[in-house]
């Protein structure tokens, strides 16, 4: 095992990078809507419980496996398992590859909105729904917006772990927090905003059902960037003296905190502007621009531009980790230079993302609807949704399930404890050790197995046993 592998220069660098990997677009647009629509504080409590039961133990397992092997996901499973288990690592690399292909497209949308609001006249549009449909239905500008975003991501990753990933995270995460807090303070000064806070946080236990609980379990897992080997990769860059459990706890709290704060921005803002909530991209690309337009030409530009800068920063911290997963594979296993690996991988991922870019109206065959050629789950889907369903909704919980089983029954929890105790001498024999061993051996496999089967059946076969 090589001891010269470049790593993070400090624990702070790792925590910032890992938190940046976890914080992404889902924190900004998905979590606030799901919380508000599914019982407010009641959903949030279920979410926190799932973070504690699933997210934290899996994160500790991934980081520990990465640090122990000093390798990418494929190499980590190969060194501690065998060639068959190494296929789990290949699944992780493939997930990072394919998720970035469509994630970069959506990041390009946000980058374009940032430019068009800050330096253009987007807020003068009368029908934001029609504008967004037209905007994503062409690939002229979007090609260059997404290309620029991929180029920025590649530039950071090409600079390496310390000068690139760590340095960027130390800048981007504070910037994200400052922008978010500034926008929250502004939103809470608006008349009617506190009604949004009450709607967001007031527990409504009558809305809790199996569907809501499943949603909370799924989001708790996805929001922490687990199941694809990103934290195995980042874990391979930390020192033996680092405390894995406390670092994982900080990353978990940071990710949950950003998601919570995003809700404290979006719901008060929508209530103050008397706007209806919407799910998915419509929330930030259609509903919120209406709010910014109502603020006046100057304030709207400043607030709207700042918000989409926030979205871009959140996206960038995630795209960096997504790119690093396949890059680390080619650097470790194929012995490519970092420059060669980043250049080729980033270019291929961008090209693979073009069908997703075309699938929002530009190409009828790829866009769903009557002319669509992609049919599964009992309906016609667009190409971007296909990739998201296959590699995010289904493959990530599968990856987390297999990782938990691997750590518990192949690598063994005794070896996991040995690795964790190198940076935490009091870990062995502690209540925390007992909790993590039980969670990763039984709780995580059962819950992640349920999420995997549920999502597979619902997404691809149109069957759900929780509705």
């Amino acid at each position: 095992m090589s001891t010269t592998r470049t790593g993070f220069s400090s624990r702070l660098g790792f925590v910032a990078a890992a938190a940046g990997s976890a914080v992404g677009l889902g924190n900004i647009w998905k979590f606030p809507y799901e919380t508000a629509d599914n019982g407010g504080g009641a959903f949030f409590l279920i979410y926190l419980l799932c973070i504690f039961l699933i997210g934290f133990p899996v994160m500790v397992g991934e980081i520990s496996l990465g640090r122990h092997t000093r390798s990418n996901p494929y190499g980590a499973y190969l060194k501690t398992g065998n060639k068959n288990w190494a296929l789990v690592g290949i699944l992780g690399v493939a997930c990072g590859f394919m998720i970035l292909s469509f994630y970069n497209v959506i990041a390009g949308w946000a980058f374009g909105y940032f430019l068009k609001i800050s330096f253009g006249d987007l807020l003068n549009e009368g029908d934001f729904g029609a504008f967004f449909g037209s905007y994503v239905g062409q690939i002229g500008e979007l090609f260059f917006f997404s290309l620029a975003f991929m180029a920025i991501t590649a530039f950071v990753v090409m600079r390496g772990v310390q000068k690139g990933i760590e340095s960027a995270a130390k800048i981007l995460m504070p910037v994200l927090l400052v922008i978010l807090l500034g926008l929250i303070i502004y939103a809470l000064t608006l008349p009617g905003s506190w009604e949004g806070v009450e709607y967001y946080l007031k527990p409504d236990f009558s809305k809790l059902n199996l569907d809501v609980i499943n949603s909370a379990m799924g989001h708790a897992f996805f929001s922490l960037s687990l199941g694809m080997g990103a934290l195995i990769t980042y874990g391979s860059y930390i020192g033996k003296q680092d405390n894995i459990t406390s670092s994982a706890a900080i990353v978990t709290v940071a990710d949950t905190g950003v998601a919570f704060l995003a809700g404290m921005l979006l719901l008060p803002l929508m209530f103050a502007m008397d706007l209806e909530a919407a799910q998915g991209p419509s929330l930030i690309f259609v509903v919120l621009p209406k709010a910014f337009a109502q603020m006046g030409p100057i304030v709207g530009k400043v607030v709207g531009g700042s918000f989409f800068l926030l979205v871009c920063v959140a996206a960038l911290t995630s795209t960096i980790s997504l790119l690093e997963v396949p890059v680390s594979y080619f650097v470790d296993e194929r012995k490519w230079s970092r420059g060669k690996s980043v250049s080729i991988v980033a270019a291929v991922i961008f090209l693979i993302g073009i069908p997703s870019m075309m699938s929002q109206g530009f190409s009828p065959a790829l866009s769903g609807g009557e002319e669509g050629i992609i049919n599964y789950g009992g309906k016609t889907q667009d190409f971007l949704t296909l990739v998201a369903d296959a590699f995010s909704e289904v493959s990530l919980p599968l990856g987390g399930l297999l990782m938990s089983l691997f750590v518990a029954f192949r690598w063994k929890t005794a070896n996991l404890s040995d690795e964790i105790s190198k940076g935490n001498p009091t870990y062995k024999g502690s209540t925390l050790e007992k909790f993590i061993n039980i969670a990763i051996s039984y709780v995580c496999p059962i819950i992640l197995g349920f999420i995997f089967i549920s999502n597979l059946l619902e997404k691809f076969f149109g069957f759900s046993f929780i509705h």
Side-chain angles (χ1 to χ4, degrees), residues 356-388:
S356 292
M357 196 183 303
M358 298 170 61
S359 70
Q360 303 304 299
F362 182 81
S363 169
L366 297 176
S367 300
E370 294 181 358
E371 300 181 55
I373 60 173
I374 303 171
N375 193 293
Y376 63 90
K379 53 186 175 181
T380 305
Q381 301 280 17
D382 62 83
F383 186 83
L384 189 153
T385 300
L386 169 63
V387 178

Side-chain angles (χ1 to χ4, degrees), residues 276-462:
E276 292 185 9
Q279 191 171 16
S282 294
L283 174 60
I284 64 172
F285 291 109
V286 177
V287 176
L288 288 183
K290 295 179 183 178
F292 303 142
Q294 293 177 27
M295 296 176 185
I298 297 177
V299 175
K301 274 184 177 291
V302 173
V303 176
S306 298
F307 174 78
F308 278 100
L309 179 60
L310 167 71
V311 174
C312 289
V313 171
L316 182 59
T317 57
S318 293
T319 57
I320 289 170
S321 67
L322 286 166
L323 181 57
E324 179 64 17
V325 173
V327 164
S328 68
Y329 167 80
F330 285 102
V331 170
D332 292 344
E333 306 302 327
R334 304 301 178 185
K335 307 304 178 186
W336 290 5
S337 68
R338 176 165 285 268
K340 176 182 177 181
S341 180
V342 172
S343 299
I344 294 177
V345 172
V348 172
I349 291 176
F350 178 77
L351 293 175
I352 291 176
I354 291 178
S356 292
M357 196 183 303
M358 298 170 61
S359 70
Q360 303 304 299
F362 182 81
S363 169
L366 297 176
S367 300
E370 294 181 358
E371 300 181 55
I373 60 173
I374 303 171
N375 193 293
Y376 63 90
K379 53 186 175 181
T380 305
Q381 301 280 17
D382 62 83
F383 186 83
L384 189 153
T385 300
L386 169 63
V387 178
D389 285 346
F391 291 95
S392 180
E393 299 293 329
V394 173
S395 294
L396 289 189
L398 175 60
L401 165 64
L402 294 174
M403 193 286 301
S404 299
L405 294 174
F406 176 82
V407 169
F409 302 108
R410 174 71 189 200
W411 189 32
K412 306 293 185 182
T413 53
N415 291 319
L416 172 66
S417 294
D418 286 340
E419 185 61 38
I420 295 173
S421 65
K422 290 175 182 176
N424 184 359
T426 63
Y427 178 74
K428 283 191 175 182
S430 66
T431 302
L432 180 60
E433 181 193 28
K434 293 182 177 65
F435 163 70
I436 288 179
N437 286 350
I438 292 172
I440 211 161
S441 300
Y442 305 105
V443 179
C444 293
I446 291 171
I447 295 178
L448 290 174
F450 175 82
I451 295 173
F452 164 65
I453 294 172
S454 173
N455 286 357
L456 177 66
L457 292 177
E458 183 171 356
K459 297 296 183 181
F460 289 93
F461 299 97

